[in-house]
Amino acid sequence: MYFAALLARTEDGWEASDTELDDVETLSDLMDLARDASVDEDTVLIYIEQEDAWFGVVRVDGEEDPRIYVSDASAAARSSYGEILLTDEVLGRPPGAGDEIAALEELVDLDSTEDGEPNRSVAAADQDDDASDQDAVPAGPIGELGVLADLGMSEKELLTLQTDALAEIAEAVGATEVLEAVR
């Protein structure tokens, strides 16, 4: 079960809404959603959680690139919404590395013998090892730890969040009341 909320800062404080992610397939779609909620290109926070597995915070400030934090990258990688947040940049890969990995995996799958068993040459095995090393997603937190630092939540506090992280984030940024209205 997923829950997503959007917190948009305005000159009058924060506005909150629960967010439907059914039409969100890419990080770009998520940014469009955030920018549509923004007033005068102010800060927008998008919070996504999968019950007791992981949560992610995406911060959008106007037209700047999004800033992303994910509490457990390996758990998020097994989730369709988590995969949206785990970009090459967040994972520390060169841009397009995920596309190269998929292409390598496809090539390895095409190399099979008549009985259906793969013909595992040393080169193919090395490609598999290289692809899995590049494709490995680390366990634990990943992304920008200081994503909420100027809003009242330190890196240390962000790292120690466990259950009900959204409530603690909302309290730190001063959005508890508006968040409770949409929960």
Side-chain angles (χ1 to χ4, degrees), residues 7-14 34-35 37-45 59-63:
L7 298 171
R9 186 163 43 175
T10 68
E11 59 186 43
D12 298 327
W14 291 93
R35 289 185 176 114
S38 176
V39 176
D40 297 326
E41 297 187 0
D42 284 330
T43 300
V44 177
L45 301 176
R59 178 175 176 167
V60 179
D61 293 302
E63 292 299 318

Side-chain angles (χ1 to χ4, degrees), residues 37-99:
S38 176
V39 176
D40 297 326
E41 297 187 0
D42 284 330
T43 300
V44 177
L45 301 176
I46 300 171
Y47 177 88
I48 302 171
E49 83 177 8
Q50 183 178 7
E51 257 180 28
D52 299 326
W54 65 275
F55 71 89
V57 177
V58 179
R59 178 175 176 167
V60 179
D61 293 302
E63 292 299 318
E64 293 181 26
D65 287 341
R67 297 166 57 191
I68 301 169
Y69 171 80
V70 177
S71 67
D72 187 338
S74 63
R78 296 185 297 270
S79 152
S80 58
Y81 295 123
E83 286 180 340
I84 291 171
L85 304 182
L86 297 175
T87 63
D88 287 337
E89 183 179 343
V90 170
L91 292 170
R93 296 179 187 154
D99 297 337

Side-chain angles (χ1 to χ4, degrees), residues 100-155:
E100 291 173 20
I101 292 165
L104 283 174
E105 288 173 349
E106 223 175 276
L107 285 175
V108 170
D109 288 342
L110 292 175
D111 184 21
S112 58
T113 60
E114 286 183 3
D115 62 20
E117 291 298 316
N119 180 4
R120 306 242 344 136
S121 67
V122 172
D126 286 346
Q127 282 181 340
D128 279 353
D129 290 345
D130 291 346
S132 63
D133 288 346
Q134 291 175 356
D135 201 25
V137 176
I142 195 166
E144 190 171 331
L145 295 174
V147 68
L148 301 172
D150 65 324
L151 297 175
M153 178 164 276
S154 71
E155 293 176 12

